[in-house]
Amino acid sequence: MTRFKTPKLLITAAVVYGVIQALYSLGIINGYILHIINQSLIYVILAASLNLINGITGQFSLGHMGFAGIGAYVSGTLTTLIFKLNPSIPGSYLLFIVAILAGGLVAALVGFLIGFPSLRLKGDYLAIVTLGFGEIIRTVFNNIEYVGGPRGLLGIPKFSNFTVIFIVTFLSVAVIRNIIQSPHGRAMLSIRENELASELVGINTTRYKVLSFATGAFFAGIAGGLFAHLLQLAHPTQFGFSKSVEILIMIYAGGVGSLTGSIVAAFALTFLSEGLRLGIRALADATGLPIGGEWRMVIYALLLIFIMLFRNEGLMGTKESKVILIEEAD
Amino acid sequence: MPALMTIQGMTHYFGGLRAVSNFGCAIQEGSIYGLIGPNGSGKTTIFNLITGIYKPTEGKILFDERDITAEKPYKIVQGGVARTFQNLRIFSNLTALDNIRIARQSSEKSSLASSILRTPGFLGEEKRIRKESLDLLDLMHLSDRAGEMAKNLPYGELRRLEIARALATNPKLILLDEPAAGMNPKEVEDLMSLIQRVRDQFKVTVFLIEHHMKVVMGICEYIKVIDFGETIAEGLPTVVGKDPKVLEAYLGKRGA
Ligand SMILES: Nc1ncnc2c1ncn2[C@@H]1O[C@H](COP(=O)(O)OP(=O)(O)OP(=O)(O)O)[C@@H](O)[C@H]1O
Ligand SMILES: [Mg+2]
């Protein structure tokens, strides 16, 4: 007898979607809040995919936003090009999806190309290589006139809306969760735990490190594509080192190795960051003191230190909520 | 009958240090083969060479009629050689069950796509892996620990968990590096019968490093003694146990 298993993640997602949609149409949530929710959802993809590399497989990547940048520029270039040729093109949403996927695939390919040589070696070469990669990517965007150079890629059509972003985020989380809770995910976990022992129970550790890194890069590319079509621009400064560190902070705050933690932290920190931005501006206006947005990062860093001091395994540790955990039949 | 594993003229240097010198052996299928020697004599290095962690400076390792000298570690394991470690290498932050499952699964059987889509084939395979892993835990009297984080298990149980994990890879040859280390006399007694039971039940050949003389003399059918990387004696336990060179180099130092 096989017991019918309720798809908890799907049901939870549907309820959350319905509630937000209802609150928005009732006017309880305004367009501004919805915009922050959209951003939070995209950060969920970024944090979850970095967690696959960093928290599950134990490989330290410092250039995650570089892959988001690739996704943003590739998909943004494709959709603007198509739109310039024919603004009233039929099936435009399908083309948008194809463009986003293309951005993800190019990011995955680049992930493979830089991951393969550095992950074959033992030790933390990946951290150094990805640090360099993030900066190189930023410089490359800065210097290609075709994609706007330092001005950024402007006039990207607005395809990302709440529904699209929600569905893509749901699918990304579901895929990452299904990978983690499978033989492939367990192989990745064993590398984090003890790479030599992993190899000596028959696991091709190089293959799994590269697979994890390229998969993470793919989803970062997808997230970048969503961003570009939400903000209608892609700018080199969006994808630099400090942005990658923000994603790292998210996964450390949420719990390294916990998808639930990544989701919660992506929302909490995106809202917090927006709140701080408004708070600092209000404070500057009220007092006339010359305090700017960069103070946000200081408070962010202090917060991280605070979390590490009092709850060093992050919000969730490595635990998962029942929604994320797939029940196993005995 | 050809030996399951044959090593010929294996020498290994760490920089200027000759850790293993002209080592050779022919291990018969189904036997329990013992390797002893004083601290630092090169025993663990020999296991590291067999499992591909290091490549020997000279020499050849034939396993199951195949030359595995230059093979990658995971390939050697997939070919049928499993091992435990002198200093445990457990996946500490995973459950006992997951420690075994990771060794039991084979990446060829569930593709990434079928894992993502949770196809019936994938679910069936997961069920099989889970059941076989639980059976192995049962055999090692660890059933009630299946859901426990490995880091919470006591030392003796971790040693058994590591043997179970090695067996989970479905080996023809299992290399045990000082499995009795840190065990009390009762646990050592149980270990001896466990190793014999494993050999009979799984039809595996056992290659054993052990300082515990009672274990070596009690269950090994053939013993090799090395000192400073060189073989100084070999033969049946009764013969080796009386060899004056062995008594001097090995047993003498430890007062038998
Ligand atoms: N990776 C390494 N690099 C350099 N020297 C090494 C390395 N591994 C082992 N050695 C040296 O090789 C020699 C043999 O070490 P090995 O660990 O094989 O001894 P052993 O017989 O297993 O000793 P024990 O009984 O203490 O476990 C020692 O002198 C050791 O210091
Ligand atoms: Mg040793």
Side-chain angles (χ1 to χ4, degrees), chain A residues 119-142:
Chain A
L119 288 165
R120 262 175 47 205
L121 306 168
K122 305 267 175 268
D124 284 334
Y125 291 92
L126 190 71
I128 300 160
V129 170
T130 49
L131 181 66
F133 158 75
E135 289 309 290
I136 289 168
I137 278 293
R138 201 171 54 83
T139 315
V140 166
F141 295 147
N142 222 7

Side-chain angles (χ1 to χ4, degrees), chain A residues 214-247:
Chain A
T215 307
F218 172 78
F219 284 108
I222 298 280
L226 289 177
F227 250 135
H229 294 82
L230 177 71
L231 307 175
Q232 295 188 264
L233 62 89
H235 197 270
T237 56
Q238 289 174 303
F239 307 108
F241 173 68
S242 66
K243 290 289 173 182
S244 295
V245 171
E246 280 187 42
I247 312 295

Side-chain angles (χ1 to χ4, degrees), chain A residues 1-2 5 174-175 177-184 186-205 207-208 211 215 318 326 328-330, chain B residues 51 53 72-75 77-78 81-83 85 88-94 98 101-103 105-107 110-112 115-118 122 126-127 129-130 134 149 165 169:
Chain A
M1 272 294 284
T2 46
K5 286 209 208 84
V175 167
R177 174 196 67 163
N178 286 3
I179 292 175
I180 293 174
Q181 295 176 49
S182 83
H184 306 283
R186 291 196 295 264
M188 292 169 187
L189 283 165
S190 74
I191 295 171
R192 175 191 81 188
E193 290 298 305
N194 193 316
E195 189 167 341
L196 186 70
S198 173
E199 181 91 14
L200 288 174
V201 295
I203 285 164
N204 183 347
T205 52
R207 175 173 171 262
Y208 274 109
L211 179 69
T215 307
T318 54
I326 300 172
E328 286 184 80
D330 278 306
Chain B
T51 49
I53 296 174
K72 293 215 174 82
Y74 78 92
K75 286 262 183 202
V77 178
Q78 288 175 358
V81 182
R83 74 174 284 181
F85 299 87
L88 293 167
R89 283 181 175 273
I90 291 286
F91 305 133
S92 312
N93 295 304
L94 302 180
D98 277 346
R101 284 206 281 195
I102 286 159
Q105 68 201 22
S106 87
S107 55
S110 320
S111 70
L112 193 62
S115 304
I116 292 168
L117 298 172
R118 307 259 139 187
F122 165 83
E126 278 288 89
K127 219 169 185 174
I129 294 168
R130 188 184 164 89
L134 286 170
M149 282 286 177
R165 189 179 68 182
T169 64

